[in-house]
Amino acid sequence: MATCSSLLSEEKFLCSVCLDVFTEPVSTPCGHNFCSLCIHHYWDSRGIYQCPLCKTTFSPKPELKVNTVVSELVAEFKMLTQGKASTPDPPLPVTTDVLCDICQNLQEKKAVKSCLTCLASFCEVHLEPHHRVASFKSHTLTDPVNNLEDRMCRNHNKLTELYCRTDQACICVLCFKTDHKSHNVIPLEEEYEAVMAKTDETMANIQKMIQSRSEKITEIENSLDISQREAEEEKEASVQVFTDLISSIQRCQAELIAVIEERHRATKQKAEGLLTELRMEVAELESRSSQLKQLSESEDHHHFLQSFPTLCSPLNKDWTNVCVHSDLSFEAVRGAVSPLKEKVDEIMEKFPEIKMKRMREHAVDLTFDPETANYSLVISQNGKRVVCAGTVQHLPDNPKRFEFSPEVLAKEGFRTGKFYYEVQVKGKIAWVLGVVRESVKRKQNTALSVENGYWAIGLDEGIYCAYATPREQITFKEELEKVGIFVDYNEGIVSFYDVNSKAHMYSFTGCHFTEKIYPYFCPQCYMDGANSAPLIITSVPQTH
């Protein structure tokens, strides 16, 4: 079995944030340990409660407490490392640093004992009266300790000689007679002996925990090594597949271009030969025409009759069905390649990271439109946050304004193409998001449905649902913090995604858009502050 010193290696007690030995180690719900100050600073700087190691996201913010087991192990590790750094011998007790309270600054001799009755520490010389004087012999002596005043009851200024098991606290006699009268109280020495009896068992349990956690560390490290190798192998294989595909496509492209050029050359050569022959015949005919004209002006009857038959004789070649046909149609190739590209794109978009990256390429910058906002809504100055105030505001009447529900649209509308945006819903217990057509009714209480011009999903009474016909429940294990909305106007698609996990939630397909559509937001009612969190249009990270 591994020794304690081998198990207490430094890397097991390093905070992954500050890369130093733990200070006040706390454990996140996922089981990882960090310095208390480091993990809280990490969360505050990013605005998201996420484990720096495994990237698990927590909501709401977890309350972290000091991990006493890890803290004790860190203390033991520090003691071991300090001992190794100073001397190869076993570390001496810290009590040798306690100075005699009587010597003060004269000689500064080290104390050999501390008196719990006198609340002072003494060197060998000044301790002598405790061995000689009868009244001092009843005092309680112990090994030298600092801060003797901490052993006094702050309420009664008496020595804490008792231990309350009920409250797990050291108390004095007067405390026992007052606040701890009905509690399980025993002498301090008795509790010390009881606890000391458990020390060996506790240390054995700690060693088992150290061993099991060390084995788990090794297991995780091995898994990480395997994952690294698999990632490299998969990356190499994927690069090779795509390289082969690209090479094959480039080779086919070059061969196809060569065939096209070769056919064009053959067609050109044939056409040039026909053109030469035709031009020669045209020249011959033009010559005959000139000769015939001269002949018709001559009065030499004999010459005319001899020459005319020759000039009128037809040329031998019939050009009626002669044509140049160019066989350059390669639609079959294009018809095969185009679906191949679409198939590859379809397969690639099954990876959530790639799908999210491609959608974010169509990100748009939105702001809330105050002219459409219901009287109960308050919009931030930058137009990116909206909350339900819980009270009706005095706002000017506007034909664009929603009057019955806490609804608002974006200023930006769309009549074609693709667009994508993200909305934070963290902390809310009810909300609705989606898109609506421009002509949606705003002055009456209209049900959310596709027929009424709403393509939306929402959270209501702890259930996620899509406002289709009929309404469809969305099964989703994670609590949503940010929703991504992607719209393809031309294809008639409205899709919703969990931004953190990049998981697809729901899609409206086959939508028939005939007018401008607008991003739609409904933070729902205030609910006495239970639903007071805002809807926030967040910036979309740039894709690379």
Side-chain angles (χ1 to χ4, degrees), residues 335-353:
V337 173
S338 296
L340 174 61
K341 175 185 176 299
E342 294 174 1
K343 185 63 177 178
V344 172
D345 285 340
E346 179 183 341
I347 294 173
M348 294 302 293
E349 288 192 358
K350 289 183 179 180
F351 295 96
E353 297 85 352

Side-chain angles (χ1 to χ4, degrees), residues 245-397:
L245 176 61
I246 293 170
S247 299
S248 176
I249 291 174
Q250 289 176 336
R251 183 178 68 254
C252 293
Q253 177 185 342
E255 292 172 348
L256 184 61
I257 290 174
V259 169
I260 294 172
E261 291 178 346
E262 179 61 31
R263 290 189 182 184
H264 174 65
R265 279 195 297 269
T267 301
K268 182 180 178 182
Q269 184 177 0
K270 178 181 179 181
E272 288 177 346
L274 294 174
L275 289 173
T276 301
E277 189 175 349
L278 282 169
R279 290 189 180 104
M280 291 175 63
E281 290 191 1
V282 169
E284 171 67 20
L285 292 172
E286 287 177 346
S287 175
R288 289 186 182 187
S289 176
S290 177
Q291 294 178 37
L292 187 58
K293 184 179 180 180
Q294 294 177 1
L295 189 63
S296 64
E297 295 174 353
S298 173
E299 295 182 356
D300 187 345
H301 300 162
H302 184 270
H303 177 66
F304 179 85
L305 292 174
Q306 283 185 326
S307 301
F308 185 80
T310 303
L311 295 175
C312 293
S313 62
L315 299 180
N316 294 328
K317 189 164 184 176
D318 182 7
W319 291 91
T320 304
N321 296 320
V322 175
C323 64
V324 177
H325 177 66
S326 177
D327 185 14
L328 298 177
S329 177
F330 293 90
E331 293 182 3
V333 176
R334 293 195 300 274
V337 173
S338 296
L340 174 61
K341 175 185 176 299
E342 294 174 1
K343 185 63 177 178
V344 172
D345 285 340
E346 179 183 341
I347 294 173
M348 294 302 293
E349 288 192 358
K350 289 183 179 180
F351 295 96
E353 297 85 352
I354 295 176
K355 179 66 175 178
M356 183 67 70
K357 176 179 179 295
R358 292 184 177 181
M359 288 191 302
R360 282 176 166 173
E361 292 174 355
H362 301 282
V364 292
D365 185 18
L366 302 180
T367 52
F368 295 115
D369 184 1
E371 293 187 354
T372 66
N374 179 264
Y375 299 104
S376 64
L377 298 183
V378 177
I379 298 174
S380 64
Q381 189 172 359
N382 67 355
K384 300 291 186 180
R385 295 167 58 101
V386 63
V387 295
C388 182
T391 57
V392 176
Q393 305 174 87
H394 296 290
L395 299 174
D397 188 20

